[in-house]
Amino acid sequence: MHTGDPAADYLLGLNATYAQDSSEREGYIHYRQGETYFQDDWRVKPRLTLNLGLRWVYFSNDTISGDQVTSFEPSLYNSAQAPIVTTNGSFIVNGTNQPLTAGGEVANLLNGLAFAGKNGVPDGFFTPTKKNFGPRVGFAYRITSDGSTSVRGGYGIGYSRIPTAQVYYAYGANPPFNQTANILNSLLSNGTAGGSAVAPTPESLTSVPFSFVPASIQSYSLTLEHQVRNNMVATVAYAGSQSRHLTDGVGGGNDINFPLPVTAPTAAGCLPAGQTASASYDFDPCINSGTSSAQYTRPYAGYSSINYQYDEGTGNYNALQSSVVYHSGPSQFSVAYTWGKALATVGAHGAGNTTSQGAGPQNPRNFKAEYGPPSYDFTNDVVGTWVYAIPFFNHVSNKPAELALGHWSLQGLAAHQSGFALSPGMSTSTNGEANRPNVVGKITKVGKKSEWFNTAAFAAPGFGFFGNASNGTIRAPGYTSVNLSLYKSFPIHDRLNLQFRAEAFNVLNHPNFNNVDTGFGSGSYGQLTNTGDPRIMELALKMSF
């Protein structure tokens, strides 16, 4: 007999709920990929060379051994067979816990599911395209007769395949091949003993697309190179790319069963004090207040989220790249600078405090609103490197002095990178379906540990509305570091050598702050919460033979 007190029930060996999947599935996933190409280098003139090529790529769909996998297909969904979902997200059931339709019939809990390899459905659900042709062209032109100045350029199209993760997730989770049983008030020692079965609730699905276009990337560049002197070369270049049909995340990232817009809250009293009623809402405001479940306003009643492979994402990158390389005997010095910008509708967007944010879209029906700098975007990048062969005591008559003091080398790297793009987010208990705030002021850098950006620039959107803040509008702190390495090799015998190394990373001990909390409503909102590595020094011996 359960007491109703969690601590007392635990001491008596009683649990509150028990859940178990019907199986732990194992299977073999298959796909095929084939490519063929031809390429020709054509020297049109002594100063001009062309590179011409064409590549054809084939990606099969992903299949599971035995075809024991299903996928949701909207065209197969029949609303008349769907269960009634109440405002709290549960089903109306009969005496044996079977969900009922609006007509009082037992609902079809496989509504809208397509079975791989059945009824004309391909084993991998979609028919692969055979039109993945990627032309490639490049040229090199020597501007001056002495060969000191040249220009090069190129253009090409490449393709990427759908991840196997999508069909893998469907294989491991979708009914009827895998289902979950929930039991209330049973025993810790035996979860199925003495308890009562819980009525089924809406479950999430993974949907493999019935049509899919591989991601394509168009890359292009134009480079001017000039030999300033015999041992110095300067380069300036433009590099860019355009990406189409990008997917949102490895496992899909697009909920096609996202709650629908509404014209009024589903229950009275959901709006907070001070918020006036609106003629329409992006989603049910009662989701914010917790009065109603998101399950109640989903378009495909009977299911929770349906993770679909979105493949219409776009992205682009443009950069000015420059470098100078100088050689002097065994020594080399270089400096490079890149000024670039990346923009995308999918990928590493979202709120957080790292440089690899991966939140999904705020509104899966409007990916255009996600367009902005992804979290891997930074504007400026300057890097200097050197390998300096110390010329002293290399060839002296005093062999012990040469052995101890000669043939040392000093290497180094100095880098500065401007801050990564971060997105404002929501960290309140009443977010609802919004994951970005509203912009109510100018987004500026404050630059303090306690407030890195103007936190007053954002405010929570009204209940039932998405935030209007854009992705990538906050910049993280930059990164600056100088690394040094001093080493010398001691020949012992034949190919046996001993190398001594003294290394220092971030030798200036420059603080690099790498975490900014961008979640509105968080306890550390706007604050720098972590730093990178301090100065690190190490000594090492390396033996090679």
Side-chain angles (χ1 to χ4, degrees), residues 83-153:
I84 300 174
V85 180
T86 65
T87 55
N88 65 8
S90 62
F91 294 141
I92 293 179
V93 298
N94 59 17
T96 57
N97 279 337
Q98 293 177 300
L100 300 176
T101 67
E105 304 292 331
V106 174
N108 177 13
L109 297 185
L110 301 179
N111 194 3
L113 292 181
F115 288 72
K118 306 292 191 301
N119 301 319
V121 176
D123 292 345
F125 296 105
F126 67 87
T127 301
T129 179
K130 298 179 180 178
K131 299 179 180 179
N132 301 326
F133 291 96
R136 304 179 183 200
V137 60
F139 74 93
Y141 179 67
R142 192 173 70 235
I143 297 176
T144 58
S145 58
D146 62 357
S148 62
T149 305
S150 62
V151 60
R152 298 178 178 86

Side-chain angles (χ1 to χ4, degrees), residues 60 63 119 130 141 147 165 194 202 225 244 268 279 305 310 317 417 478 481:
S60 74
T63 61
N119 301 319
K130 298 179 180 178
Y141 179 67
E225 186 175 79
R244 296 294 182 266
S305 60
Y310 177 80
Y317 175 74
Q417 187 180 82
S481 182

Side-chain angles (χ1 to χ4, degrees), residues 56 126 147 150 250 252 261 312 369 393:
W56 177 77
F126 67 87
S150 62
V250 175
E312 292 299 325
F393 298 99

Side-chain angles (χ1 to χ4, degrees), residues 36 54-58 129-136 156-159 216:
T36 184
L54 180 66
R55 179 179 293 267
W56 177 77
V57 184
Y58 172 77
T129 179
K130 298 179 180 178
K131 299 179 180 179
N132 301 326
F133 291 96
R136 304 179 183 200
I157 299 178
Y159 295 92
S216 63

